[in-house]
Amino acid sequence: MTSFPKKLATCFVTGLTVAALLLVLGNSGTLTWFPPVVVFSLVGICLLSAVVFPLVWQYRERNHLHETGRIYALLFAVIRYAIAFNLASFGWKKVFGLQFVVLAGQPMNQQPGETLTWYYFGYSPAFGTLIALTQLAGAYLLLYRKTFLLSCVVLFALMLNIALVDVFYQMNAGALLQALVLTLGLLFLLLTEYRKLVAVFIHSDSILPVLPIRHRLVKNALRLSALLLSLLFVYYIVKP
């Protein structure tokens, strides 16, 4: 029998990622059969279900233990596919020139941070294409078990950077919400592979050759020198 907090966290992330996907579909402006009232109603149902369903799940698990594995499999699939669809849609928007676009003729010194950010990223089409390809490839690889962890690591780093840009450059609330939800969803998926990540990044032996220095104090001093010497170098440049 799994813990209730784990059930609640899984359902909460599932509800958030599906709600974010519904908002993306609703904000497209082209789905006339998907009006805002339907969108926000479904979002409300998703968020409410994320709170109620864990209670029902916890109650039924006492007598139906065999259902837990299937429920987890379904919820994790929903999270992965919702994130993949969402990320892929942003990737395709960049490919078709629907993002990183600023109308010509606007004086940049009078624009808010959001417009300046879009103008900056849109200045290099190659960079925008690289981000789009990363989102598309990562979304695709997220749906395979063998490439799931690699995709999570790459996409989490990308989305964390995007989320920080959205926060500190004052992007609109919708873009910020999407970035935060996608980042949270990827972080949740990463944490499910916590033991594997620790084994790979911390406990695994490195193939790098070892310096012939036995004293740990000397090794640590050499490592610290990389920071201190660079500090002295920069200080020498900037001092009056």
Side-chain angles (χ1 to χ4, degrees):
M1 187 171 180
T2 55
S3 64
F4 179 74
K6 183 178 180 180
K7 295 185 181 71
L8 183 61
T10 305
C11 294
F12 179 70
V13 174
T14 304
L16 283 181
T17 53
V18 173
L21 178 57
L22 290 171
L23 291 174
V24 166
L25 297 174
N27 289 334
S28 65
T30 58
L31 303 179
T32 56
W33 47 268
F34 204 45
V37 63
V38 176
V39 174
F40 288 106
S41 296
L42 292 176
V43 168
I45 292 173
C46 286
L47 298 179
L48 180 62
S49 300
V51 177
V52 175
F53 183 72
L55 300 173
V56 179
W57 184 4
Q58 182 75 5
Y59 174 77
R60 287 182 57 84
E61 191 182 43
R62 299 174 182 175
N63 300 319
H64 303 84
L65 292 177
H66 61 282
E67 291 184 355
T68 293
R70 297 179 181 178
I71 294 175
Y72 271 123
L74 176 61
L75 293 179
F76 274 89
V78 171
I79 293 172
R80 290 188 296 124
Y81 275 84
I83 292 176
F85 187 101
N86 208 332
L87 280 172
S89 67
F90 285 116
W92 289 121
K93 286 178 181 179
K94 294 178 179 66
V95 171
F96 288 99
L98 299 179
Q99 287 191 331
F100 298 162
V101 178
V102 177
L103 297 177
Q106 301 184 52
M108 288 296 106
N109 61 346
Q110 300 177 10
Q111 301 304 317
E114 179 178 0
T115 303
L116 293 174
T117 303
W118 281 71
Y119 180 81
Y120 172 77
F121 283 110
Y123 181 79
S124 173
F127 181 72
T129 301
L130 180 61
I131 295 178
L133 292 177
T134 303
Q135 290 176 322
L136 290 170
Y140 183 69
L141 295 177
L142 190 65
L143 304 179
Y144 288 89
R145 294 185 63 184
K146 290 185 177 181
T147 55
F148 158 77
L149 185 56
L150 173 63
S151 175
C152 276
V153 171
V154 174
L155 289 177
F156 175 73
L158 174 66
M159 289 310 305
L160 179 61
N161 182 65
I162 292 177
L164 292 175
V165 169
D166 289 349
V167 170
F168 293 108
Y169 287 84
Q170 302 173 4
M171 303 298 283
N172 67 79
L176 174 60
L177 177 63
Q178 290 291 334
L180 291 177
V181 170
L182 290 174
T183 304
L184 176 63
L186 291 166
L187 176 61
F188 174 79
L189 293 176
L190 276 176
L191 291 177
T192 62
E193 299 285 353
Y194 170 78
R195 294 183 179 178
K196 187 179 294 184
L197 289 171
V198 171
V200 171
F201 291 107
I202 298 179
H203 292 161
S204 61
D205 295 328
S206 175
I207 62 174
L208 290 175
V210 180
L211 285 173
I213 301 176
R214 295 184 178 181
H215 298 287
R216 179 172 297 181
L217 182 61
V218 177
K219 286 185 177 181
N220 290 333
L222 288 174
R223 293 168 181 142
L224 188 60
S225 67
L227 296 179
L228 295 180
L229 291 177
S230 62
L231 172 62
L232 292 175
F233 167 69
V234 173
Y235 177 76
Y236 178 79
I237 295 175
V238 301
K239 72 176 183 178

